Amino acid sequence: MAESLRLDKFLWFARIVKTRGLAQQLAEDGRIRLSGRVIARSHAPVKIGDVLSFAVHGRVRVIRIEAIPARRGPPAEARALYSELPDTPLTSGGSQD
């Protein structure tokens, strides 16, 4: 199994995005952080242990890569490729108590 994979392929294989084109656009727009660094290229390599963070559906999604896939498999197989870390709501500041 490979030690790393292109960011866009990982996002597509892991079924985080519906198409590889969407994954490429997300990366090229600078909307993804890879272990804290803003990524602006879809071919950036990702490996096991890397943490990805990106905004989606009104919240910041943070995932840790647990495995590098060889293909785009079924949803259950894709879900095993990463673990979710606590998410952060996108707010303009202040407390919502």
Side-chain angles (χ1 to χ4, degrees):
M1 188 170 285
E3 292 182 23
S4 67
L5 185 67
R6 287 174 57 116
L7 173 62
D8 59 338
K9 288 180 88 172
F10 178 82
L11 294 172
W12 184 59
F13 284 2
R15 295 180 174 267
I16 293 168
V17 295
K18 290 186 179 198
T19 68
R20 191 163 162 200
L22 287 173
Q24 290 170 339
Q25 192 64 50
L26 196 65
E28 290 167 5
D29 286 349
R31 296 176 50 200
I32 298 178
R33 288 185 180 264
L34 172 61
S35 298
R37 296 181 335 267
V38 175
I39 298 299
R41 53 193 186 132
S42 59
H43 62 276
V46 296
K47 60 187 181 319
I48 294 172
D50 282 347
V51 175
L52 300 175
S53 56
F54 48 94
V56 64
H57 304 297
R59 68 182 181 109
V60 174
R61 192 166 178 193
V62 183
I63 63 171
R64 180 178 32 244
I65 298 173
E66 302 294 344
I68 299 297
R71 65 184 181 102
R72 181 175 164 97
E77 185 179 300
R79 182 62 186 94
L81 299 174
Y82 60 92
S83 58
E84 291 277 348
L85 301 177
D87 62 334
T88 306
L90 293 177
T91 62
S92 57
S95 175
Q96 293 186 356
D97 292 335

